[in-house]
Amino acid sequence: MESLRLRSPHSPLLHPGRHGRFQPPFSTGFHLTAAKKGPYIKAALSKPAAEISPAVTSRESTLLSPHPPSSTNKVSPNSLQYPSGYLGAVPERTVNDDGDNITNAMNYLTNILASKVYDVAIESPLQFAPKLSERIGVKLWLKREDLQPVFSFKLRGAYNMMAKLPKDQLKKGVICSSAGNHAQGVALSAKTLGCDAVIAMPVTTPEIKWQSVKRLGAKVVLVGDSYDEAQAYAKKRAKEEGRTFVPPFDHPDVIMGQGTVGMEIIRQMQGPLHAIFVPVGGGGLIAGIAAYVKRVSPQVCWLLCKNSWQSSFSYDLCGIVVKIIGVEPSDANAMALSLHHGERVVLDQVGGFADGVAVKEVGEETFRLCKELVDGVVLVSRDAICASIKDMFEEKRSILEPAGALALAGAEAYCKYYGLSGENVVAITSGANMNFDKLRVVTELANVGRQQEAVLATIMPEERGSFKQFCELVGPMNITEFKYRCTSNKEAVVLYRQQYYLKSFLYFKCSVGVHTVAELEAMRERMESSQLKTYNLTSSDLVKDHLRYLMGGRLNVADEVLCRFVFPERPGALLKFLDTFSPRWNISLFHYRGQGETGANVLVGIQVAKNEMEEFQNRANSLGYDYVVVTDDDNFQLLFH
């Protein structure tokens, strides 16, 4: 059975981060006020009062982190949410005049320049994307790290660290824990350097992944049901055998290796560059790119301006400043939250759709660099990531993994939000190790992410002729899915999906007969004027993942508690769940929704009396699966009660 880490329902509240400030290199402490073009937000917004609660005993430690969580603060991804494309989590800079920052920056710069990553990596091409550029109104360039020998940038950092090991240490071998791209990077690096490599992977790792690592010559050890157990094994064995543990991101040599991506972009890019969009997980890639670009590209600007520096200064006057913008999934925003709070925090749960960036805590060194050098973080939805995977396929006939399409999704959203026009923008396509099963989810959500398809629900009376009236009011709109079931009530709910397209020069071009957002709104108004209440449910993951498949008449079930669980990918996960709740309580609803190799979201209805809720919660917590109660969700009440 597959499993997927649960995406928490989005909070309806808007929590904007600080915006509109830029720092000169070497952290002088002075602020540059961003001069905006078009519909920019100019004001620097204050930090929202998102509470950080003390950590409790966690059911699992940091996902994909090289060490257990060191932060004492746990936060929810929902505590920091802002519109897609908005540049939030802009870090505040502090004054530091002791010169350490400059010395440290030069160390990174010289080591990136001297890196030997090209023993295994290629200088990936920087390709122009003409179709996407025409659509969004900028000059969009794709840094094709998905074309590396292991289809990911990860081999750069792994090789750079391993190549610097003393010969006697290299002879003892290396070890790492990974179920994805880092494992292949370490394996190929070890093969090139002629050293022994052990890769610890969870027993639930799909065969296609561990076989690909094994073919590269590494010894694969399948151990533990989770990444954390595999990591603990790897670190223990490293100490016992004297092997070197190779972390996925939080090590200076790993960061320097990833920084060669930034070096290549500056060398390859002709003309002024507005921004580089970088996918963020633990932070190794963006820290490395920022460490190079921010120390090279803006230096002339700083030298020209430092003698007449003022507290407020438009960066438009310093035209060669390049923004380094991180992109994270809205349900896996560990870096954004850390920058927002000024310290590393641990997510209480993390969405796993983009599993390559699904971390609960960013690295210590990566955070330090990002706090000094990064310009902010853009958050995007799962739908937007799916849309960008489709965009990349139509542009280059290449299929990216979700984490690999993350930067592209962020670049598209940012350019749309700020009305950017004519600027050079780079998005890093960081990986192409796509699981084939996940393509089903991508195809279902891509048009929603493109804003070309809407999920709607209409309430209509249960009487003769009402269905015909509904169809007449819909008109010529193209319906791709329709669900209706007669009930014993006086009203029925129709759930359906409609295709539409944005008629805009900058974003979506139209052909004759294609419907627009305005026409969609006109259809909804026709429904409302005929007393047919219509709801737009497009943004609800609960509807898209579960409720749309369960339509068939509404029913009131006594004492029903509705929960979304994350079933881990390991044998016996379902039986463990049933042993926890059955036969103590009746299970009234069960919908399993696999999303590729990373797992499954499961919607469960359980009949629990009010005086038994404390016992239910205790059992649910002891189960050890991430879950959230959604009984009071408005869309569930609309469709099923």
Side-chain angles (χ1 to χ4, degrees):
M1 179 176 285
E2 298 172 331
S3 63
L4 178 68
R5 293 189 176 276
L6 185 62
R7 286 173 50 88
S8 300
H10 290 301
S11 168
L13 299 177
L14 171 63
H15 298 292
R18 296 176 298 277
H19 185 65
R21 292 184 175 182
F22 178 78
Q23 289 302 311
F26 313 136
S27 299
T28 65
F30 294 105
H31 291 296
L32 288 172
T33 302
K36 302 294 184 250
K37 299 178 182 178
Y40 281 41
I41 293 178
K42 187 172 184 179
L45 303 176
S46 61
K47 181 184 297 186
E51 296 295 329
I52 304 181
S53 58
V56 296
T57 302
S58 175
R59 295 193 297 269
E60 59 182 293
S61 57
T62 305
L63 179 66
L64 300 181
S65 173
H67 46 70
S70 59
S71 173
T72 59
N73 295 324
K74 296 191 73 174
V75 299
S76 166
N78 285 335
S79 66
L80 181 66
Q81 295 293 318
Y82 37 84
S84 179
Y86 175 74
L87 184 60
V90 179
E92 293 179 348
R93 316 299 189 191
T94 58
V95 178
N96 190 334
D97 296 325
D98 59 9
D100 287 346
N101 283 349
I102 297 178
T103 302
N104 187 275
M106 291 308 298
N107 286 337
Y108 269 98
L109 185 61
T110 55
N111 277 280
I112 290 171
L113 289 168
S115 173
K116 297 181 179 180
V117 301
Y118 301 106
D119 293 345
V120 292
I122 65 168
E123 179 173 326
S124 59
L126 185 67
Q127 297 178 344
F128 183 63
K131 295 178 183 177
L132 284 170
S133 296
E134 182 182 3
R135 180 189 299 172
I136 63 180
V138 300
K139 299 172 185 176
L140 180 63
W141 301 82
L142 304 173
K143 181 59 173 171
R144 298 295 304 277
E145 284 299 289
D146 56 299
L147 299 180
Q148 291 292 349
V150 295
F151 308 105
S152 166
F153 72 94
K154 282 288 189 178
L155 80 168
R156 292 177 182 260
Y159 184 83
N160 191 55
M161 176 181 173
M162 292 167 60
K164 290 184 176 182
L165 292 175
K167 290 184 178 181
D168 58 339
Q169 185 63 44
L170 200 60
K171 287 181 180 179
K172 296 179 181 179
V174 298
I175 190 170
C176 78
S177 52
S178 171
N181 297 335
H182 180 56
Q184 296 185 64
V186 172
L188 180 59
S189 299
K191 182 179 181 180
T192 304
L193 293 168
C195 76
D196 180 71
V198 174
I199 314 294
M201 310 178 84
V203 296
T204 54
T205 302
E207 183 178 358
I208 188 174
K209 282 198 170 183
W210 64 258
Q211 284 284 13
S212 64
V213 174
K214 189 175 180 180
R215 280 194 293 270
L216 290 170
K219 298 176 182 177
V220 176
V221 178
L222 299 178
V223 56
D225 291 332
S226 67
Y227 172 81
D228 296 320
E229 293 178 21
Q231 182 190 64
Y233 168 86
K235 289 187 173 181
K236 181 175 181 292
R237 183 165 174 177
K239 290 181 179 180
E240 292 174 348
E241 300 180 3
R243 293 178 179 271
T244 299
F245 180 80
V246 183
F249 49 79
D250 199 16
H251 190 284
D253 290 332
V254 173
I255 296 170
M256 292 167 188
Q258 320 298 29
T260 56
V261 176
M263 178 182 67
E264 292 174 11
I265 291 173
I266 296 302
R267 183 166 61 235
Q268 295 168 328
M269 188 69 220
Q270 300 298 319
L273 177 58
H274 177 79
I276 301 173
F277 290 85
V278 189
V280 179
L285 179 60
I286 191 170
I289 291 174
Y292 183 87
V293 174
K294 288 295 187 180
R295 304 311 183 186
V296 174
S297 180
Q299 191 165 359
V300 175
C301 165
W302 166 240
L303 292 175
L304 289 173
C305 299
K306 60 185 280 189
N307 293 327
S308 60
W309 201 262
Q310 298 178 5
S311 59
S312 180
F313 194 91
S314 171
Y315 69 68
D316 281 358
L317 298 180
C318 307
I320 59 174
V321 175
V322 179
K323 290 185 178 69
I324 305 298
I325 298 175
V327 186
E328 290 185 302
S330 56
D331 59 356
N333 52 352
M335 182 62 79
L337 273 163
S338 296
L339 292 174
H340 176 78
H341 290 292
E343 63 177 342
R344 287 193 302 152
V345 298
V346 181
L347 299 184
D348 57 8
Q349 58 182 323
V350 59
F353 179 72
D355 53 326
V357 294
V359 305
K360 286 192 173 182
E361 185 183 27
V362 300
E364 183 176 356
E365 176 67 0
T366 60
F367 174 67
R368 186 188 69 80
L369 290 169
C370 289
K371 188 168 62 172
E372 292 181 10
L373 303 171
V374 168
D375 293 289
V377 178
V378 169
L379 302 180
V380 296
S381 68
R382 179 182 57 167
D383 299 346
I385 295 171
C386 292
S388 290
I389 293 173
K390 182 177 181 180
D391 289 341
M392 183 65 178
F393 177 76
E394 293 180 348
E395 184 75 52
K396 300 295 183 182
R397 293 299 184 268
S398 296
I399 299 177
L400 300 175
E401 62 185 278
L406 189 60
L408 179 56
E412 291 187 69
Y414 174 90
C415 294
K416 176 182 177 181
Y417 186 87
Y418 290 106
L420 210 63
S421 178
E423 301 278 7
N424 283 306
V425 170
V426 172
I428 298 173
T429 57
S430 59
N433 288 300
M434 166 66 88
N435 176 266
F436 191 79
D437 293 337
K438 194 172 285 187
L439 285 174
R440 170 174 49 85
V441 180
V442 172
T443 56
E444 288 180 357
L445 298 179
N447 283 342
V448 174
R450 272 188 172 183
Q451 299 181 6
Q452 293 179 344
E453 190 170 76
V455 181
L456 305 170
T458 295
I459 299 176
M460 66 182 188
E462 281 282 18
E463 59 187 28
R464 282 181 286 183
S466 60
F467 183 49
K468 180 180 179 181
Q469 180 194 19
F470 168 83
C471 293
E472 290 173 345
L473 290 170
V474 169
M477 300 290 288
N478 182 30
I479 295 180
T480 59
E481 183 177 351
F482 189 94
K483 289 182 171 66
Y484 165 72
R485 179 72 167 89
C486 179
T487 71
S488 59
N489 298 326
K490 294 182 179 180
E491 291 182 330
V493 177
V494 178
L495 184 67
Y496 53 105
R497 293 201 298 173
Q498 285 189 312
Q499 287 185 338
Y500 66 99
Y501 294 84
L502 292 171
K503 184 178 287 184
S504 168
F505 173 76
L506 290 178
Y507 307 118
F508 294 99
K509 296 192 300 182
C510 291
S511 302
V512 177
V514 179
H515 303 289
T516 67
V517 174
E519 291 172 313
L520 182 70
E521 180 61 22
M523 184 275 295
R524 193 191 67 81
E525 290 177 358
R526 289 197 302 272
M527 294 287 186
E528 297 281 353
S529 64
S530 299
Q531 284 73 53
L532 299 181
K533 185 67 177 177
T534 298
Y535 300 88
N536 192 332
L537 311 181
T538 309
S539 63
S540 172
D541 288 337
L542 179 63
V543 171
K544 289 179 291 189
D545 286 348
H546 300 289
L547 300 185
R548 56 181 284 210
Y549 299 101
L550 300 173
M551 287 294 294
R554 293 185 284 174
L555 181 67
N556 287 304
V557 179
D559 297 325
E560 186 176 49
V561 177
L562 194 73
C563 301
R564 296 183 75 190
F565 278 88
V566 177
F567 273 34
E569 173 129 10
R570 57 172 176 258
L574 174 60
L575 186 59
K576 181 180 179 181
F577 172 86
L578 294 175
D579 287 341
T580 301
F581 298 109
S582 181
R584 177 67 178 89
W585 295 291
N586 179 53
I587 296 177
S588 55
L589 181 150
F590 192 93
H591 183 254
Y592 170 88
R593 176 69 171 155
Q595 301 208 29
E597 66 188 32
T598 51
N601 285 340
V602 181
L603 183 67
V604 181
I606 304 177
Q607 291 181 273
V608 182
K610 290 183 179 180
N611 61 353
E612 299 170 346
M613 279 301 299
E614 183 176 354
E615 179 187 355
F616 169 78
Q617 291 173 346
N618 289 336
R619 290 198 180 200
N621 292 335
S622 65
L623 177 63
Y625 299 175
D626 286 343
Y627 77 99
V628 61
V629 178
V630 293
T631 309
D632 296 328
D633 184 271
D634 291 340
N635 296 322
F636 173 67
Q637 296 295 326
L638 169 69
L639 298 176
F640 284 87
H641 288 279

